[in-house]
Amino acid sequence: AQSVTQLGSHVSVSEGALVLLRCNYSSSVPPYLFWYVQYPNQGLQLLLKYTTGATLVKGINGFEAEFKKSETSFHLTKPSAHMSDAAEYFCAVSERGGANNLFFGTGTRLTVIP
Amino acid sequence: GAGVSQSPSNKVTEKGKDVELRCDPISGHTALYWYRQSLGQGLEFLIYFQGNSAPDKSGLPSDRFSAERTGGSVSTLTIQRTQQEDSAVYLCASSFGSDLYGYTFGSGTRLTVV
């Protein structure tokens, strides 16, 4: 069974500081991995995804994530936070070759302090 | 259309009434999903349609919830005899039907049951 754990429901960083949002998954086989961002009163937008190949994945808005199989992790990072990054971020997994359902974490709300 | 369209964007209804929520997916997307996002919680899977296959209804919380997808395109989520705990944002997403691509989400319908 798939499950996703996002450590920290709220993360605050100063503008210009490193952003690190944690995601760990539980799966019998390495899944496909996704990060979504949700801005206030909007739907979810795909930031980046890992399916195969290079384990460091670059997404939109300067975000990137690294798939680490040994740690069953897919943490999201950005070197320098911008005020516009304030949003809720969701990590999600889906099973390779299985049903197409995405299993979502409970989300991490990122606050950027000026 | 260019994106996933959901209507209405907001719905306030009295307890006990029935409501219908509409989702118009991206043209050509064979898969369609409904999720529920309650305040402070992650996304809860409700139902999944893939082409002409029988839908996966495993996430529907009770028999008051139902959904249909007509002609492989537009979907309607119906909640009968609404309860206050049904208040949430209902998100629709569509995809090409492979978990390689992730989903494209609509902006959601915010349902408030008073």
Side-chain angles (χ1 to χ4, degrees):
Chain A
Q2 307 276 347
S3 69
V4 181
T5 302
Q6 290 185 241
L7 288 177
S9 58
H10 291 85
V11 170
S12 293
V13 299
S14 298
E15 191 175 15
L18 170 71
V19 176
L20 170 61
L21 305 182
R22 299 178 185 275
C23 173
N24 289 87
Y25 67 89
S26 172
S27 173
S28 56
V29 296
Y32 296 138
L33 296 152
F34 305 83
W35 275 99
Y36 283 84
V37 60
Q38 186 179 32
Y39 297 103
N41 301 314
Q42 295 188 26
L44 278 73
Q45 178 181 1
L46 181 65
L47 264 181
L48 50 77
K49 63 186 178 187
Y50 169 77
T51 56
T52 189
T55 55
L56 181 63
V57 180
K58 295 187 184 298
I60 62 173
N61 301 339
F63 283 93
E64 61 183 36
E66 186 171 10
F67 168 58
K68 292 187 176 180
K69 181 179 177 181
S70 61
E71 298 177 7
T72 60
S73 69
F74 192 57
H75 302 330
L76 181 70
T77 61
K78 182 174 180 178
S80 177
H82 191 273
M83 295 299 294
S84 61
D85 295 328
E88 186 136 22
Y89 292 80
F90 292 92
C91 181
V93 302
S94 71
E95 182 180 356
R96 288 176 186 269
N100 292 342
N101 295 9
L102 283 183
F103 296 87
F104 286 85
T106 52
T108 297
R109 183 169 298 280
L110 175 67
T111 300
V112 182
I113 304 166
Chain B
V4 177
S5 178
Q6 290 189 246
S7 61
S9 55
N10 281 283
K11 176 72 177 178
V12 180
T13 190
E14 293 181 353
K15 178 181 174 181
K17 301 275 190 181
D18 297 352
V19 294
E20 285 189 351
L21 313 180
R22 176 187 169 105
C23 173
D24 200 342
I26 291 175
S27 178
H29 280 191
T30 58
L32 186 147
Y33 313 80
W34 283 98
Y35 283 79
R36 178 168 70 176
Q37 185 177 24
S38 301
L39 187 63
Q41 299 188 26
L43 278 73
E44 175 188 7
F45 166 74
L46 296 178
I47 188 169
Y48 158 54
F49 297 89
Q50 171 59 51
N52 296 321
S53 302
D56 176 354
K57 304 179 181 180
S58 60
L60 294 178
S62 77
D63 59 8
R64 295 187 296 106
F65 287 72
S66 63
E68 61 179 22
R69 188 179 184 192
T70 53
S73 181
V74 173
S75 177
T76 303
L77 177 69
T78 301
I79 308 173
Q80 296 178 309
R81 305 180 302 281
T82 52
Q83 304 294 314
Q84 287 186 329
E85 61 263 28
D86 299 335
S87 296
V89 176
Y90 289 82
L91 291 167
C92 175
S94 69
S95 76
F96 282 111
S98 165
D99 49 9
L100 283 176
Y101 298 99
Y103 302 170
T104 301
F105 280 86
S107 298
T109 294
R110 182 175 298 278
L111 175 66
T112 304
V113 181
V114 297

